[in-house]
Amino acid sequence: MENMFDTICAIATPLSAGSIGIIRISGEKSFEIIEKIFSRKIKPEMINHGWIIDNKTGQKLDEVIVLPFKNPKSFTGEDVIEIQTHGSPVIIREILNLVLENGAKLAQRGEFTKRAFLNHKMDLSQAEAVLDLINAKTSKSASLAANNLSGTLKNEINNIREDLIEILAKITASLDFPEDVKEVEYPEILSVLEKSQTKIKKILQNARCHNILREGIQIAIAGCPNVGKSSLFNALLNIQRAIVTDIAGTTRDTISETIDIDGISATLTDTAGIREGDIDKVEKIGVENSKSVIDNSDIILCLFDGTKGLQSEDTEVFELSETSKKRLYIETKQDATGKSQSQEALNMGDSPKNPIIISSKTMYGIENLKKAIFNEILGSNVEDSGFLTNQRHQESLKKALSHIEMAQSAAQQEELQDLISIDIKSALISLGEISGEVVNDEVLDHIFDSFCIGK
Ligand code: GDP
């Protein structure tokens, strides 16, 4: 494979003290550069052990392992060198500078992955999966991103494209050679279009679920002072993070932690107890923060103290949030009330009269609560599609769907097949945006700008 660009380099590991640091070089000068600064002759496809030596001063910088990859058998599809150094930020920087002095350029964000895409080592959905994998917040989203990287989304889109390409080829052949090839029957066109429509709709149905799995959700724990918010926060986290006391107003500021609820990354925020009236200045700021946390959350856990029952103050606090917000009502301190949750309780937590009953002390009902949060956010019938889509894919799928639907309506009215073919071509272009077959530089820059340098 031809090397198309300058030789780039970057630090591929976090720049902090650690056991190993990695510097990556990619491009046609990679081998030439390493030969100048390595103590031994590089053996391709082998693990090379030796020293990095400053070729100006002769000073030994570090004892390293060099991994050489000859194009096209590398991540970028170019000649690639990986230098594994000891994990000292000072050494890593010095070696990077040496590589720069010897002819490489500093890589831009995502440039290694961009080259892998441009050199056809992966399609755009796989390149995006690299970023999703790095940023995955739960093991579920990591495993879906890994599926994308292995090509599951790419294959799904290619299947849809293949059907459309086949029917388009038949239509085009009959239009170009009307004497030799007979016109495609309209029912045949309609059946292909319907098949593609169904597949795209199915992917789009999971779009909300994919967005939640990729981005996570915000959960606010709200309620009057002393109802047990901090205790629930700790119970969900299973650690003693928030301070629990029986003095009203202890949680003065908001505290956040992230937990994994069945694959959803949920950022849990323990709000300050909201009470008006005789409160100090610091506590007032905490209360203001709580209101903004509640406004920005996807779901609010509305707590009231089971030993006291629902009070008018509880309802006032719950009503601070917009009615459109998803809420779950939770009755706390079950160990003191002895109440039990009827297992068949439908739509648990949907009203203060039908609360989820919990005890943070004994963990009673905590698993129920997690299930209720999951169901409230995603619904109980989540289908595992085996891949993830992002908003860019979803926009392209929506465009493709609308072209397919236009083609369907034209085919139903038995319009000229010339016109139908135009819509099928447009649908193919929209689908091609997902794999990156049809994509402009602006979109590429936007995608790779969100990567880190060195990836
Ligand atoms: P917050 O002000 O709403 O955050 O309430 P805390 O979590 O600080 O709890 C207030 C008081 O209620 C503390 O004395 C807790 O020990 C007590 N408490 C919280 N949860 C439970 C529970 O599940 N059972 C019992 N018996 N007491 C609880």
Side-chain angles (χ1 to χ4, degrees), residues 55-321:
N55 51 346
K56 291 190 310 295
T57 62
Q59 191 197 335
K60 281 182 171 179
L61 293 185
D62 193 11
E63 189 182 15
V64 300
I65 298 282
V66 171
L67 302 175
F69 302 88
K70 270 274 175 208
N71 81 67
K73 287 189 196 164
S74 72
F75 177 69
T76 58
E78 304 172 333
D79 287 346
V80 168
I81 296 288
E82 276 188 18
I83 309 172
Q84 294 191 358
T85 70
H86 288 103
S88 144
V90 178
I91 295 292
I92 298 171
R93 273 211 197 91
E94 274 181 5
I95 297 178
L96 179 76
N97 283 336
L98 192 61
V99 173
L100 288 168
E101 282 165 17
N102 279 283
K105 281 192 172 167
L106 195 61
Q108 293 176 357
R109 288 176 169 278
E111 200 171 352
F112 290 93
T113 317
K114 187 175 183 178
R115 288 187 179 195
F117 163 68
L118 293 172
N119 288 327
H120 309 290
K121 295 296 287 186
M122 52 176 73
D123 85 344
L124 201 51
S125 71
Q126 290 170 302
E128 286 169 306
V130 172
L131 186 63
D132 279 346
L133 197 54
I134 296 170
N135 292 337
K137 297 186 176 103
T138 64
S139 55
K140 172 83 184 164
S141 50
S143 99
L144 288 172
N147 284 353
N148 276 26
L149 184 59
S150 75
T152 42
L153 175 63
K154 170 176 134 177
N155 295 340
E156 187 77 16
I157 301 297
N158 279 347
N159 281 341
I160 303 173
R161 278 172 59 88
E162 274 163 22
D163 291 343
L164 291 172
I165 288 170
E166 199 184 315
I167 197 76
L168 183 65
K170 281 189 182 173
I171 295 173
T172 311
S174 74
L175 289 171
D176 289 352
F177 309 104
E179 278 100 53
D180 305 324
V181 183
K182 69 177 174 53
E183 192 181 70
V184 188
E185 303 275 342
Y186 283 92
E188 185 183 346
I189 301 176
L190 278 167
S191 126
V192 171
L193 291 173
E194 194 187 327
K195 199 168 142 202
S196 310
Q197 184 200 33
T198 310
K199 284 185 183 170
I200 296 178
K201 276 190 169 166
K202 199 165 166 216
I203 304 177
L204 284 172
Q205 265 164 16
N206 282 321
R208 208 178 71 81
C209 170
H210 292 173
N211 295 343
I212 288 169
L213 284 170
R214 292 178 72 250
E215 284 147 34
I217 55 163
Q218 303 288 332
I219 302 178
I221 307 181
C224 285
N226 267 338
V227 293
K229 295 181 298 300
S230 305
S231 304
L232 173 60
F233 180 87
N234 290 334
L236 283 168
L237 243 64
N238 253 333
I239 54 157
Q240 289 293 306
R241 168 80 161 77
I243 318 151
V244 180
T245 72
D246 50 8
I247 308 157
T250 313
T251 311
R252 297 187 158 209
D253 209 342
T254 54
I255 304 176
S256 295
E257 287 284 353
T258 301
I259 57 169
D260 181 338
I261 298 185
D262 241 347
I264 304 177
S265 156
T267 303
L268 200 62
T269 305
D270 178 10
T271 66
I274 297 170
R275 54 188 193 127
E276 306 292 342
D278 187 19
I279 56 176
D280 68 28
K281 213 170 162 187
V282 180
E283 204 177 317
K284 221 171 213 163
I285 298 170
V287 170
E288 283 309 311
N289 280 348
S290 307
K291 285 181 184 164
S292 101
V293 165
I294 288 174
D295 287 342
N296 291 321
S297 60
D298 299 293
I299 183 164
I300 305 157
L301 307 185
C302 299
L303 272 60
F304 62 94
D305 188 333
T307 60
K308 294 186 181 154
L310 185 74
Q311 309 280 312
S312 57
E313 300 92 87
D314 296 317
T315 318
E316 276 165 32
V317 170
F318 303 159
E319 281 169 3
L320 285 174
S321 63

Side-chain angles (χ1 to χ4, degrees), residues 37-49:
I37 60 172
F38 192 55
S39 57
R40 302 171 123 170
K41 174 119 194 74
I42 292 287
K43 291 186 192 139
E45 326 259 323
M46 299 281 279
I47 296 169
N48 293 260
H49 171 236

Side-chain angles (χ1 to χ4, degrees), residues 324-423:
S324 59
K325 287 260 172 204
K326 285 181 192 295
R327 297 180 192 171
L328 281 176
Y329 294 90
I330 296 160
E331 181 178 319
T332 59
K333 310 189 187 178
Q334 180 275 340
D335 55 294
T337 62
K339 283 192 189 172
S340 59
Q341 182 98 56
S342 79
Q343 285 309 310
E344 65 276 12
L346 284 176
N347 304 321
M348 249 187 324
D350 63 352
S351 78
K353 287 195 185 124
N354 180 31
I356 298 164
I357 301 172
I358 63 152
S359 162
S360 303
K361 245 181 198 160
T362 62
M363 300 297 275
Y364 179 94
I366 299 296
E367 280 309 312
N368 259 352
L369 172 60
K370 282 190 183 170
K371 267 189 217 135
I373 295 172
F374 185 90
N375 286 346
E376 191 65 31
I377 292 291
L378 283 184
S380 46
N381 300 316
V382 188
E383 205 183 308
D384 191 349
S385 51
F387 53 78
L388 270 185
T389 55
N390 62 27
Q391 259 146 11
R392 189 185 74 81
H393 308 143
Q394 291 155 18
E395 284 313 309
S396 300
L397 283 165
K398 280 183 205 159
K399 276 195 279 173
L401 186 62
S402 101
H403 289 300
I404 286 173
E405 286 172 349
M406 283 195 275
Q408 272 176 314
S409 116
Q412 269 149 6
Q413 287 158 39
E414 304 207 344
E415 283 185 21
L416 290 176
Q417 295 197 359
D418 227 352
L419 292 176
I420 299 172
S421 74
I422 293 173
D423 277 322

